[in-house]
Structures are given as C-alpha cells and as structure tokens.
Amino acid sequence: MDDNDSGKKIIVFGAGGRVGRAAVAEAAARGHRVTAVVRDPARHADLERAGVTVARGDATDPESVAALAVGHDAAVHASARLDVPSEEYFAATAKALAAGLSAAGVGRLVTLGIATTLEDAAGVRLMDAPGFPGEWRAFAQGHVVEFELLTATAGPDLDWLMVVPPLDLNAEAEPAGGYRTAVGRVVDGPGRIAHADLALALLDEIERPRHSRVQLAVGSA
C-alpha cells in the first residue's frame, strides 16, 4: 500500500459473515479505518480491534446506509439473508446502496456476487444449465437482479463492481496469497478460493480500482 492508499475509511455491510469478517480483517491489516456494519452489534463484539468500529445498520434501508456511510471512501457489501426471498433482499440492498452511498458521497462500492451467475466456456450461465437445481437458481437470481439494478440505478458518482468467488468458497482452505480473475465468466482452473484470498481481491479493487460495473470472477492462484 502506498501513501495514496493510506488512511482510507471503508464501510463493510454484512461484516458478521465469513466474507465480511475476512474483508474487515484485511482492511484493518492494511491500515484502513473500518466501520463494520451488522444487525446486532452485541453478537459481534469480537470484530472490535484497532481501527475497526462496529455499528448497527440495515443494508436494505437507504437512510441507514447514508447515515453510516458519510465520510467513508468506499464500501463493501457482503450481506445476505436466508430468511428473505433472494430477489427481494438483493433488490432492496441494490437500491438502498445505490441511493444511500451516493447521498453520503461514497465513490466506490465492491459487492459480492455468486458463481452460478457466471458464464462457462460455452457462454452459458451456470444457473441456466439443464438440470440446475431450482432452489439454487432462485437464490442466484437475487444476484442477477442486484447486478441489473446497480447497472440501472447507480449514478456516475458511484463506481461499483461485483466480485464473484467460485463455487468452492472455503473457510478452512489455506490461503494462496493471491488470486486469478476473469470478467463475466468462470475462472479457469480449480474452482475454489480461501476467504482470505477473496478479501485480497476486494481490498485490491478498493485501493486501486481496475474494474468497473462488471462481474469480476476470482479464483485461487
């Protein structure tokens, strides 16, 4: 990290989940100041560390997003709800983040996607393949809607990116210390990545944005 990257303020929505925790840890390790947003701070006191503030918030509420995000340089969205229909939840977060972050003057959003929305070598989305389980497709469709809404509603002042891990997102995997990327399609090679390596990609795209308004697939190096 060079001098131009130091001192960023980053807000992480869904900080209590595995990817959110990895993003908070990586951002703090790089010397950034982090606001870790969760629904119930009392359940996530372990997130507190030097440079990290835990806050209560709702990624589906544009007013909550805007109030928490004021003064931040970038946002990570890693939240999910399994008790709410996927399309409903991710449509709500896409609208709230686009409106709330723009109102707060946040210039960069990196949101988490899902591998089943990517295309294979034949140009077919995994979720559209014959025999793909219907319940998996329903969940994947939420991320499709999220991507479409961000494309349609995020203004020019909000530079956003959807980072998409492979199907095997392994909390126990040994980090490789790097990653490979592809735009809009499945990354060639082993279809897995450690949470720590996914966090590298998320923070790299905040410190030095290289991709914008696309699905950036990442895989283990």
Side-chain angles (χ1 to χ4, degrees):
M1 186 170 64
D2 61 34
D3 290 341
N4 292 329
D5 299 316
S6 63
K8 285 187 182 295
K9 290 193 69 177
I10 299 170
I11 186 167
V12 179
F13 294 93
R18 289 179 174 178
V19 174
R21 285 175 177 275
V24 169
E26 180 63 24
R30 297 187 185 200
H32 300 303
R33 290 169 291 166
V34 183
T35 300
V37 181
V38 295
R39 284 187 287 164
D40 183 2
R43 294 177 53 201
H44 301 287
D46 59 307
L47 284 170
E48 294 273 8
R49 68 190 73 186
V52 178
T53 301
V54 180
R56 184 190 307 274
D58 182 356
T60 67
D61 180 351
E63 293 185 0
S64 175
V65 170
L68 287 168
V70 168
H72 290 75
D73 302 295
V76 173
H77 175 225
S79 74
R81 290 281 296 271
L82 299 181
D83 59 335
V84 177
S86 180
E87 285 193 49
E88 177 184 330
Y89 183 71
F90 288 108
T93 58
K95 293 174 182 177
L97 290 166
L101 294 177
S102 294
V106 177
R108 179 69 164 169
L109 166 65
V110 179
T111 188
L112 191 71
I114 190 169
T116 48
T117 64
L118 297 171
E119 294 182 355
D120 61 18
V124 177
R125 290 191 307 185
L126 301 186
M127 62 185 285
D128 295 332
F132 190 85
E135 64 273 19
W136 293 6
R137 193 181 197 285
F139 186 80
Q141 184 62 28
H143 288 282
V144 173
V145 169
E146 178 187 17
F147 186 85
E148 291 174 345
L149 283 171
L150 285 173
T151 300
T153 63
D157 293 335
L158 180 62
D159 183 29
W160 63 270
L161 173 69
M162 181 174 281
V163 172
V164 186
L167 290 173
D168 185 0
L169 179 54
N170 193 336
E172 307 303 325
E174 188 70 22
Y179 56 90
R180 295 169 299 120
T181 65
V183 174
R185 61 174 177 79
V186 175
V187 178
D188 293 334
R192 61 178 179 272
I193 197 169
H195 283 75
D197 291 332
L198 176 57
L200 293 179
L202 296 172
L203 268 296
D204 286 350
E205 282 288 347
I206 285 175
E207 289 185 352
R208 300 177 183 84
R210 293 183 175 87
H211 300 86
S212 179
R213 295 177 180 252
V214 296
Q215 285 185 302
L216 181 68
V218 296
S220 183

